[in-house]
Amino acid sequence: MASRKNVFSIILKVFVYLAMGVTVLSLAGILSYILVNGVKTFKWSLIFGKFSSQNPSMSFAIVTTCVTIFLTLLMAAPLSVFCAVYLTEYAKRGSKIVRYVRLATETLAGIPSIVFGLFGAIFFGTVLGFGYSILTGCFTVAIMLLPVIIRQTEEAIKAVPDLYREGSYGLGASKLRTVFKIVVPSAAPGIVSAIILSMGRIIGETAALIFTLGSVAQLPGSLLDSSRTLAVHMYIATRDGGAAGREVAFLTGTVLVFIIFLMNVAASYIGGKVGKDFEN
Amino acid sequence: MNLHYGAFHALHNVNLGIDENEITAFIGPSGCGKSTLLKSLNRMNDLVQTCRITGKITLDGEDIYGNIDVNMLRKRMGMVFQKPNPFPMSIYDNVAYGPRTHGIKKKSELDRIVEESLKNAAIWDEVKDRLKKSALAVSGGQQQRLCIARALAVKPEVLLLDEPTSALDPISTVKIEDLLLELRERYTIVIVTHNMGQAARISDKTAFFLHGEIVESGLTMDIFSNPSDRKTEDYITGRFG
């Protein structure tokens, strides 16, 4: 009996290490493959140069990506956070509204992004008349992000111990003050990480954006212009560019990885700072 | 007064007077309703949706379930909880949270209140050099005294303590008991406790709860030396509970 238990625990241990090894190796493999291929084709002109058919530079796509991230978060983040605050702090627990909103957010979270793209193209693009534009793209992706940020913000807020709320009420603080001075700041690290994660979603989005933001290779002059984000640039380059296009795609991938890395560093810095500000 | 949680009748015909500048202890086994009564006194039970109260609770003759400002009531009735619950911010901000809630913004005024409250809670000397450090970094006993300081900072008239020492070590417990005896001069104190010795040591009056009723209440001295009810005697001598 004892030895069978022993064998089992050894097998389990081997499996745990194996799982860890496979995960790390595949991540490292993908990353180094992209980086090696990206560095091989590295040319400053491909990153910062002006776009032409001879030099399919990604400079405009970098700008578009940054604008898209910023604008989408500006739309989605406040809305989602306030919605999550309502759901967790104001709505009665288990009330009909909460159940419907939860059902809606969960369904939205499961819908493929291309469906959002179709909706966005028709509603924002055609009905509201924004056409293929940054604005249409941002509205569409913002809607996609709502359930993601709402859900994670809810979890972060629920994780704030009731003891804090009681302590605040016990001192005669109003509900509003308790929620915004104690509960939300306590949940801030979780909320920040939810927003960072959704930035990753924006950067990686292609299907919804091809339908809405479009894929014109140009530096957008206004929010009503069409352009490409880096991920869309990568897709178009692979699809249309042949061997040279694949090289461009690898370099774009490398830049994407680099941007995401920078973002994570910034996020952990901001996250730490938010927490600290609250403590001080 | 009577109190129901949904269909559960948690407090039966409770009728009790609490006197000024005294320590009143609520004792009794778990689930007997003593914390429930304590939380009714500053209407923390309002947070429980199914809670329903009939009867009257008055503070200086005013019905606290009548037409009053609940936040002002809670300001007058400071509360300290079973588990120390300092907010995840600095020691200074913890104590200043209450006064800021009630509109005090001037730095010098806040400084004064924070220092005075921490001194009154006998923790000033231990934390005066790290007021800007996180309140979560100090020990459990210090956190609880910090919570008392936080409650004192809004200048309450009554202090409600819900088993304030049950999560603390004996030395911290003694410190808090000494502190309560000092605070009695200026505040009316109600303390829920599981610790018979604690009730006997520090309280002036005691109320013994069982199954949502007050079995006996009166001078602590009388209750502990000469209980009139058999159940009280059984409980305080440790035959059940």
Side-chain angles (χ1 to χ4, degrees):
Chain A
M1 209 55 198
S3 77
R4 249 177 76 183
K5 238 184 188 167
N6 224 350
V7 170
F8 183 69
S9 79
I10 288 173
I11 292 175
L12 209 62
K13 206 169 176 182
V14 167
F15 188 77
V16 166
Y17 278 96
L18 213 66
M20 194 270 292
V22 169
T23 312
V24 169
L25 278 182
S26 52
L27 275 178
I30 293 172
L31 207 59
S32 52
Y33 186 69
I34 294 173
L35 290 181
V36 165
N37 280 290
V39 167
K40 253 198 315 213
T41 51
F42 181 82
K43 258 189 289 179
W44 283 113
S45 64
L46 269 179
I47 298 180
F48 295 114
K50 208 171 152 37
F51 181 88
S52 66
S53 48
Q54 281 76 44
N55 181 39
S57 157
M58 67 184 82
S59 54
F60 73 94
I62 294 178
V63 175
T64 305
T65 305
C66 294
V67 172
T68 306
I69 291 174
F70 181 74
L71 198 59
T72 307
L73 285 183
L74 202 65
M75 295 170 182
L79 204 60
S80 320
V81 170
F82 280 108
C83 184
V85 167
Y86 173 78
L87 286 176
T88 48
E89 299 292 321
Y90 284 93
K92 275 189 188 160
R93 267 171 213 192
S95 75
K96 267 194 183 147
I97 285 203
V98 175
R99 264 188 294 152
Y100 288 140
V101 172
R102 192 146 295 148
L103 186 70
T105 51
E106 251 149 52
T107 314
L108 280 177
I111 292 177
S113 62
I114 197 159
V115 178
F116 280 102
L118 198 63
F119 166 78
I122 294 171
F123 184 71
F124 298 115
T126 308
V127 176
L128 296 186
F130 294 136
Y132 281 114
S133 68
I134 292 187
L135 210 55
T136 306
C138 289
F139 274 127
T140 308
V141 179
I143 292 179
M144 276 175 58
L145 290 183
L146 290 179
V148 181
I149 308 180
I150 289 175
R151 243 4 251 277
Q152 286 179 8
T153 305
E154 265 190 279
E155 293 307 318
I157 289 179
K158 276 192 208 148
V160 175
D162 270 338
L163 283 171
Y164 292 170
R165 294 181 182 87
E166 286 175 0
S168 178
Y169 287 132
L171 291 167
S174 63
K175 175 139 197 171
L176 196 73
R177 188 172 164 84
T178 303
V179 168
F180 287 100
K181 286 283 172 182
I182 301 293
V183 178
V184 172
S186 303
I191 298 174
V192 169
S193 82
I195 292 174
I196 302 307
L197 250 134
S198 63
M199 282 166 88
R201 285 283 297 268
I202 304 172
I203 290 180
E205 188 52 49
T206 47
L209 286 176
I210 293 172
F211 278 166
T212 54
L213 205 154
S215 56
V216 179
Q218 65 170 7
L219 189 68
S222 82
L223 294 181
L224 287 170
D225 281 350
S226 172
S227 183
R228 287 178 195 171
T229 63
L230 283 167
V232 174
H233 184 62
M234 207 170 152
Y235 166 72
I236 302 280
T238 332
R239 193 188 62 184
D240 301 343
R246 257 197 300 283
E247 285 180 0
V248 171
F250 271 120
L251 186 56
T252 312
T254 308
V255 172
L256 274 178
V257 169
F258 185 67
I259 290 179
I260 287 174
F261 173 75
L262 277 186
M263 242 168 50
N264 279 336
V265 171
S268 61
Y269 176 75
I270 294 169
K273 198 142 183 159
V274 168
K276 260 230 187 80
D277 276 354
F278 184 48
E279 282 188 358
N280 281 336
Chain B
M1 53 85 78
N2 281 277
L3 184 144
H4 298 257
Y5 288 127
F8 177 61
H9 196 170
L11 290 174
H12 301 259
N13 303 322
V14 168
N15 194 356
L16 183 71
I18 292 168
D19 292 311
E20 251 177 274
N21 295 80
E22 283 189 348
I23 298 182
T24 304
F26 292 174
I27 61 171
S30 297
C32 65
K34 51 198 188 320
S35 290
T36 298
L37 179 61
L38 190 79
K39 283 180 180 162
S40 312
L41 299 181
N42 68 343
R43 294 187 57 173
M44 288 302 275
N45 275 332
D46 288 13
L47 304 178
V48 182
Q49 274 174 23
T50 57
C51 179
R52 194 159 50 81
I53 290 174
T54 53
K56 230 176 172 182
I57 300 176
T58 61
L59 173 64
D60 298 339
E62 195 182 359
D63 184 2
I64 65 166
Y65 283 85
N67 188 19
I68 61 138
D69 179 346
V70 180
N71 295 334
M72 286 315 286
L73 170 74
R74 292 187 184 142
K75 176 180 180 296
R76 292 172 71 187
M77 307 261 239
M79 187 161 224
V80 176
F81 300 83
Q82 186 170 3
K83 251 182 93 188
N85 62 343
F87 302 131
M89 41 172 113
S90 73
I91 292 172
Y92 182 96
D93 287 337
N94 260 281
V95 182
Y97 181 81
R100 280 176 177 148
T101 297
H102 298 286
I104 296 173
K105 291 202 181 73
K106 241 174 86 190
K107 177 91 171 67
S108 56
E109 177 91 8
L110 285 172
D111 285 349
R112 193 184 56 73
I113 294 174
V114 168
E115 179 171 345
E116 187 186 298
S117 307
L118 288 168
K119 277 182 177 157
N120 285 339
I123 188 178
W124 172 252
D125 289 330
E126 292 157 67
V127 299
K128 64 173 184 242
D129 299 322
R130 42 180 172 155
L131 291 176
K132 296 286 169 195
K133 294 273 164 59
S134 169
L136 302 180
V138 300
S139 76
Q142 288 172 327
Q143 285 185 8
Q144 195 61 302
R145 275 178 287 146
L146 175 62
C147 290
I148 294 177
R150 189 174 68 184
L152 296 180
V154 294
K155 308 245 179 320
E157 297 154 36
V158 183
L159 263 188
L160 308 173
L161 303 110
D162 191 359
E163 297 181 43
T165 60
S166 65
L168 303 181
D169 62 88
I171 294 170
S172 302
T173 301
V174 170
K175 277 189 186 162
I176 288 192
E177 286 179 4
D178 289 345
L179 172 62
L180 293 179
L181 287 172
E182 259 174 59
L183 292 175
R184 180 177 59 171
E185 316 264 307
R186 279 164 291 161
Y187 303 92
T188 303
I189 296 175
V190 184
I191 180 169
V192 168
T193 179
H194 263 122
N195 180 333
M196 243 25 68
Q198 184 168 64
R201 278 193 299 275
I202 64 172
S203 70
D204 302 292
K205 302 251 173 71
T206 296
F208 171 59
F209 288 67
L210 193 62
H211 306 312
E213 282 175 85
I214 293 185
V215 175
E216 193 172 347
S217 67
L219 289 172
T220 300
M221 226 161 33
D222 293 344
I223 289 204
F224 277 86
S225 59
N226 189 16
S228 56
D229 195 291
R230 185 65 197 275
K231 283 176 277 188
T232 315
E233 190 181 343
D234 286 352
Y235 182 71
I236 59 178
T237 51
R239 247 168 252 151
F240 78 100

